[in-house]
Amino acid sequence: NTVDATLWYFHAVSAYVEASGDQQLLRDLFPALLEIFEWHRRGTRFGIKVDAEDGLLRAGEPGVQLTWMDAKVGHRVITPRIGKPVEINALWHFALASMARWAQMLREQRLAKQFERTAMQVAHTFARAFWCEARGYLYDVVDSTEGELDARGRRVDASLRANQIFAVSLGTKLLDARRARAVVDACGRELLTPVGLRTLAAGDPQYVGVYQGSPEERDAAYHQGTVWAWLLGPFALAHHRVYQDVKYALSLLAGLAPHLGEGCLGTIGEIFDGNAPHTPRGCFAQAWSVSQTLFAWHALTRRAAAPGVE
């Protein structure tokens, strides 16, 4: 029961091909990647299917948690996010843009043009669907089963959450420069801490600033303000994309340096309290915390070493 794991696979393939130049493996994988696209278009379990009207990806059904915000207490899903979640559609656009690029590399011209058109449609509808001008950031979920009605009569979840940062960090230019900067600024103002991003703005009535209590109480706080370290890397990359200040972007990652000596030595934990002093909680050595930090660190240090960068 996941909607994002398959989409992150495109990100993994992209990183591998960029680092290795291994087009033979890309050619071997391409039929499976095409099949993944077709299954999303036709639809699969848990309501995962492309909306034919706007090209966006919707997912979810009652009682099932499909995104990375997957906490569940008994039969109650804490953050159901049924509808069209923002980071899922950012990842969907990344997959489409990657397929267009790979088809071009493999001289599949017809497929390249098809994926280019589809990616352009999604980019166009994404900005219209998710942008909230009144708040200056992206809705967390549109065409939702919960939340408020927007000016167009759609039900939306307008909670200020970290998920929107992927619309900028993935680098596919889903948003124009003004909106991309506004997203980074909103996340920096309300969600950024030295060790990661809060999963919900502190001013939200559902915010929980300390991860403690019984298993049920902890699960209820898991994505309701708790800081996740894995989100700091994408934020640093997004900040660099809009401000082009590589030194500052690297300094954002440096906030995790003191933590390397306070939990499991030399590694990065899973989560921290949303409230200062951001006490480490949860798993004391988390793979995706480490990998996203290293991914951003290497990308930014390569950029810092580029000619003409001061």
Side-chain angles (χ1 to χ4, degrees):
N1 57 322
T2 175
V3 62
D4 55 2
T6 305
L7 299 176
W8 277 113
Y9 184 63
F10 287 85
H11 188 272
V13 172
S14 178
Y16 172 79
V17 171
E18 181 181 349
S20 69
D22 186 353
Q23 290 194 23
Q24 183 56 54
L25 180 63
L26 179 61
R27 185 173 293 280
D28 292 343
L29 294 176
F30 200 69
L33 298 171
L34 279 173
E35 189 177 3
I36 289 170
F37 167 76
E38 286 299 324
W39 272 110
H40 281 81
R41 189 176 60 82
R42 291 198 300 265
T44 183
R45 289 181 293 177
F46 309 119
I48 301 171
K49 186 178 182 181
V50 173
D51 186 331
E53 290 188 8
D54 59 17
L56 297 175
L57 190 61
R58 67 172 300 116
E61 57 188 36
V64 178
Q65 68 281 39
L66 294 182
T67 73
W68 78 276
M69 291 187 163
D70 58 355
K72 189 175 183 180
V73 177
H75 296 292
R76 180 169 68 97
V77 177
I78 305 302
T79 50
R81 306 185 73 221
I82 298 172
K84 299 168 183 173
V86 64
E87 84 283 9
I88 300 307
N89 280 284
L91 285 165
W92 175 237
H93 182 259
F94 181 91
L96 295 171
S98 297
M99 288 296 285
R101 186 174 69 255
W102 296 334
Q104 190 74 37
M105 290 169 59
L106 298 176
R107 303 187 185 283
E108 299 281 357
Q109 302 299 336
R110 182 185 60 82
L111 284 173
K113 290 180 179 178
Q114 173 190 331
F115 280 110
E116 284 171 6
R117 286 194 300 268
T118 307
M120 287 177 62
Q121 179 200 11
V122 170
H124 176 69
T125 55
F126 181 94
R128 281 196 313 150
F130 284 97
W131 179 250
C132 178
E133 187 66 42
R135 291 178 169 88
Y137 59 78
L138 298 173
Y139 292 125
D140 190 56
V141 185
V142 299
D143 294 337
S144 176
T145 56
E146 300 183 357
E148 62 191 62
L149 293 178
D150 72 354
R152 295 161 58 188
R154 305 171 308 161
R155 194 160 296 282
V156 297
D157 183 350
S159 305
L160 177 50
R161 293 188 181 274
N163 302 305
Q164 64 188 290
I165 202 65
F166 294 100
V168 183
S169 68
L170 290 171
T172 54
K173 298 184 179 179
L174 264 178
L175 302 172
D176 61 34
R178 178 182 71 88
R179 290 175 177 176
R181 179 171 291 198
V183 165
V184 171
D185 289 348
C187 291
R189 183 174 61 250
E190 302 291 341
L191 306 177
L192 180 64
T193 75
V195 288
L197 297 188
R198 294 185 181 93
T199 41
L200 185 64
D204 192 288
Q206 298 189 71
Y207 174 79
V208 181
V210 179
Y211 180 85
Q212 63 181 6
S214 66
E216 293 77 12
E217 289 172 317
R218 296 197 304 273
D219 280 345
Y222 210 25
H223 306 107
Q224 296 293 78
T226 297
V227 172
W228 286 71
W230 82 280
L231 297 167
L232 190 59
F235 180 81
L237 291 173
H239 192 283
H240 178 255
R241 290 193 189 283
V242 299
Y243 284 105
Q244 293 297 305
D245 186 339
V246 68
K247 290 184 177 179
Y248 182 79
L250 282 167
S251 76
L252 291 168
L253 300 176
L256 280 167
H259 171 64
L260 297 177
E262 71 177 353
C264 186
L265 295 180
T267 191
I268 302 172
E270 178 188 27
I271 55 175
F272 302 79
D273 286 342
N275 292 348
H278 309 299
T279 302
R281 307 284 188 180
C283 173
F284 53 75
Q286 184 82 342
W288 50 345
S289 300
V290 173
S291 62
Q292 284 288 353
T293 303
L294 286 174
F295 184 83
W297 180 266
H298 286 300
L300 291 168
T301 50
R302 285 196 301 270
R303 177 60 184 153
V309 176
E310 296 181 2

